Amino acid sequence: MPADVRETLAADYQEVEQMLQKLEQGHLHLAAFGRVSVGKSALLNALLGEARFSTSPLHGETKDRQTGQWREFQEGNVFLVDTPGINEVQGEAREQLAREVASRADLVLFVVDGDLTDTEIAALRSVAAQHRPILLILNKADRYTTVERDALLASLKRHSEGLVDPRNLVTAAADPAVQQVIRVDEAGNETWSERRPPPDIGAVRERLWQILEAEGKTLAALNASLFAGRLSDQVGERVLAARRTLGQRVIRSYCVGKGVAVAINPVPVADLVAAAVVDVSMLTHLSKLYGLPLSRSEAGELIKTIGAQMLLLMGTVWAVHVASSALKLGTGGLSAVVTGGAQGAVAYYSTYVVGQVAERYLAQGKSWGEGGPKFVVREILDNLDRNSIMEQAKQEIREKLKVSPQSAPSA
Ligand SMILES: Nc1nc2c(ncn2[C@@H]2O[C@H](COP(=O)(O)OP(=O)(O)O)[C@@H](O)[C@H]2O)c(=O)[nH]1
Ligand SMILES: [Mg+2]
């Protein structure tokens, strides 16, 4: 890309660059804190969806091996930190522990399994003094009736007033107890079986995401599987929405970049589609956003696949048509900018389509779905308003080149 084009687009690229840097380097530490056996490790496991941290049913057994031990597990850019129980240490050391937890964490998951004890209130105070957002989680909710739960929540709210934002008080069942199921058949025979209910941490995930969003930290959290929410819950939808918003910004920056470059340096029309599908960088960036990084050669392969479908469905004929119909309207004295501008708009549009198709592929977990690439490309082309995007393209290219519409008449 010529130096002057690069300069024109510096701000756009910088924005994308910063976004990616945040995505790559924006580490996020979430620490679970609380008494022994409230389910800290179980909660972290439930967030991850796998048993990374060892849990123990025997109160106190934790003391053998895990006492005083900090354990950390990385998932994407998110570090989950398991801490010793606050009742394992006394006095000054406890203060120290709370300070250390808070200083290492961007967000503290303060786990309890009943009303707050004096020890817990003291620890909560120490953490709150470090000005870290605290999520106060009433775990083992499966042990309580709805009435009991509501009473507990009311009490927790009272006791944590001024320390925890009431919206950050949520319930969870990180590792619900096994239930006995008794079936009675028509003959009156009873069969007993056991059922292990799945973890219920929907409210934790939801609130966690909201806090991260408010703190501007969702970018760092985006590629951690704890927010993948494949269960199509609310969080999953918001994660997807956040990715889409950022993805569209990445695509737009590349479209403008491509459009301006072609407008300044017009290439033979027939090469336009081919020229527009070389946006390997755009795809590698998009893939990082989706937590499914593509190597440059993989991105190249993906572009070839998409390009082939686009050529089948749109054809070089289209590119020639759009460019020439735009040219026809300017009668005589067409400046190079008009010619280039029309080509630039075509380049913009092609890049736009590639971006949308690739984004769909990534959002589906690197899969084309049943209909294959052809189906996806066709569906996206059908749903795009080509003319308005081309108009938008011309406008954005003109803006970048600081050419007024009067001096550069076009379709
Ligand atoms: N009934 C019930 N038990 C739980 C729940 N979460 C954890 N537990 C159990 O509580 C015990 C202690 O959990 P653990 O995660 O080791 O506690 P930690 O010491 O705070 O890390 C284990 O036996 C867990 O299975 C829950 O939501 N409901
Ligand atoms: Mg533990």
Side-chain angles (χ1 to χ4, degrees), residues 35-37 39-42 53-56 62 66 71 82-85:
R35 282 186 298 112
V36 177
S37 279
K40 297 181 296 294
S41 308
F53 299 95
S54 55
T55 60
S56 166
T62 1
Q66 298 157 21
R71 283 170 300 152
D82 202 1
T83 67

